[in-house]
Amino acid sequence: MCGIVGYIGESQAAPILLEGLSKLEYRGYDSAGIAVYDGENIKVQKAVGRLKVLSEMTHDGATMQGVVGIGHTRWATHGAPSNTNAHPHYNQAETIVVVHNGIIENYMKLRKRLETKGYQFLSETDTEVVAHLLDYYYKGEPLEAITKIMHRVEGSYALGIIFKDHPEQVYAVRKDSPLIVGHGKDGNLIASDVPAVLKYTRNVYFILNEEIAVLTKETIGFYNVDGEEIQKECTTIDWDINAAEKGGYEHFMLKEMYEQPQTVRDTLNPRIKEGSIVIEELGMSDEEIQKISKIHIVACGSAYHVGVTAKYVFEGMARIPVEVDLASEFRYRNPILEKDALVIIISQSGETADSLAALREAKIRGVKTLGIVNVVGSSIAREADKVMYTWAGPEIAVATTKAYSAQLIATYLLAVKFAQVRGEVLEEEVTGILKDLQKLPEQIEMLLSHKEKIQRFANRYIAAKDVFFVGRGIDYAISMEGSLKLKEISYIHSEAYAAGELKHGTISLIEEGTLVAAVVTQEDLYKKTISNIVELRSRGAFVLAVTNTGNTEIQKAADYVIYIPQTNRYFTNSLAIIPLQLFSYYVSVGKGCDVDKPRNLAKSVTVE
Ligand code: G6P
């Protein structure tokens, strides 16, 4: 996600902004920019690429004189990484300048309204709307304009703002995106995260949702959304800088697992409007959706496992036949693609060589292609006919967690949309389905809060040689991802098996005490999988079951049960995967493995 830094004080602002932004590099970014008030005007400098480019361009900030400024590293969401889209963004008169982290969900509507009032937009970003909207409401009193826009803007935001008329102040405001204030000796700072200010101060205020901070070089005032002053407590930070860059988490993987509720919300919320699913970027008419004869899902690694789940969801809900392929297979198997087929490529990085080649193969054959991609402006995002972004933000740990969860959500949204358009679900059912989708973030939060229980369980298995994951239907797809997570970060051999297929192979490998994780979330298949569990246990397996709350019958069959909350049968993957991720993580930690950078693996595989 983007990084924000702001400074006002006795020192030159630009070097402090650059230094602070460098401490936020871990968040991932593709362009950067700073704005400094030089005594007369607000000057802006931006650069695509690494922060180094911006530092060189400004001679480490020396060319931008001034003691008040804001800076930003941008992880592209709306619009490709470019100078124009990079922050800070001005209003037209260049008297207000804004940096933003988050997603303004109603930006299209606001943009259209502002355009009718004569505002001209330079960038494709959602952020520019904020600069113009502030301009629209600004009548000489910044706080008033800020509280007004807070009532108009929907979505998530952390904003740093400077008004040319009030150069003795920096304004900060947040809702659902992180922002802190640092109280320094020779000035005050704002930042997305603590490490950016630690060089200057350990005294920090955490801005909460819908709170505004007004910084001068000596003072910091806090206000609520009605512009009333509020009191806040200062916290003294005693962590070391390295830990802080992971937001206090021991590993990026743990941090990213904890970001899943937000990731799911960010992928979901902008696409649910007034009780229905709106996927503008799909660019397909109802007629085109009705005509889809087959869906081909093509991906690698965990993204492929999302595809396996999605097959059950599309076929079950929308009754569209689906084929799922590993990209490395699809590209060479001379696939038969009907003219009304839709090829969906799923990729976090958007750069995976095989997935990109598969996309190109599909395009050569003239079928419609859709990318479900996390990195904006990546090759797959650029080359697919249409792109649906997962708003997971940068993922640093090699083993994917939050991007996987966001990809699942994107496929659910498509499946429900297609089912609705094709008349496979009743309108009244859709309301219930959407409710279940919107409940997922808090249900994931709840599952994450049980991490100690799973940690204790995982510690018993750090010496395991083989672990098996079994399930039927969607549960088989969840098993595949659970198994991959474990083997990639703990180096324990593990396999996923369709539960009904056990007796044709895996069962011969079961010995006294072998751990088998059985995923049992599909009610109509409970009995079938329970019989498999009984078979396994009678051969000595220790069975961990992941099942729905209410399935008490399983307690008689399994050795250890983890319950997930009730949801729509097609969405259980989003919940059942959480304990499996935590299990793999804690086994890896217990074994002392390099959790975030497992041996021999790469985050983005750009070679065949
Ligand atoms: C690598 C990563 C996996 C990922 C796969 C596909 O193997 O380690 O976590 O699932 O590539 O990557 P993509 O960026 O295309 O989703």
Side-chain angles (χ1 to χ4, degrees), residues 300-303 346-350 352 355 398-400 407 488 602-603 605:
C300 302
S302 298
I346 308 179
S347 175
Q348 186 284 127
S349 61
T352 302
S355 304
V398 166
T400 178
Q407 288 163 351
E488 63 183 345
K603 182 76 189 154
V605 183

Side-chain angles (χ1 to χ4, degrees), residues 453-467:
K453 185 181 166 197
I454 292 167
Q455 182 173 17
R456 278 195 297 277
F457 183 82
N459 283 339
R460 285 159 48 185
Y461 285 94
I462 54 180
K465 295 250 170 322
D466 307 285
V467 177

Side-chain angles (χ1 to χ4, degrees), residues 185-294:
K185 273 203 187 68
D186 80 341
N188 291 318
L189 301 108
I190 58 166
S192 302
D193 199 358
V194 172
V197 306
L198 278 185
K199 190 170 169 193
Y200 311 99
T201 181
R202 285 185 171 268
N203 297 328
V204 161
Y205 294 90
F206 291 91
I207 310 182
L208 301 183
N209 271 348
E210 306 210 304
E211 289 181 352
I212 306 162
V214 183
L215 286 66
T216 69
K217 61 183 183 177
E218 284 112 12
T219 63
I220 304 164
F222 296 98
Y223 301 86
N224 66 17
V225 67
D226 298 318
E228 295 157 353
E229 189 154 13
I230 49 173
Q231 301 303 318
K232 290 187 71 72
E233 289 223 340
C234 186
T235 307
T236 308
I237 302 293
D238 51 12
W239 331 318
D240 71 71
I241 292 186
N242 273 341
E245 287 188 11
K246 290 178 191 138
Y249 290 95
E250 203 183 336
H251 298 101
F252 281 111
M253 183 176 171
L254 186 63
K255 175 172 179 276
E256 287 159 5
M257 282 193 276
Y258 269 80
E259 284 169 354
Q260 290 179 109
Q262 190 59 40
T263 294
V264 168
R265 264 184 214 114
D266 287 345
T267 304
L268 201 58
N269 288 353
R271 293 166 175 132
I272 299 185
K273 290 182 183 144
E274 287 154 18
S276 53
I277 295 179
V278 183
I279 311 173
E280 275 159 15
E281 60 271 47
L282 188 61
M284 282 175 96
S285 66
D286 285 1
E287 221 172 36
E288 284 172 303
I289 293 174
Q290 275 152 1
K291 266 175 59 186
I292 298 171
S293 59
K294 192 171 200 173

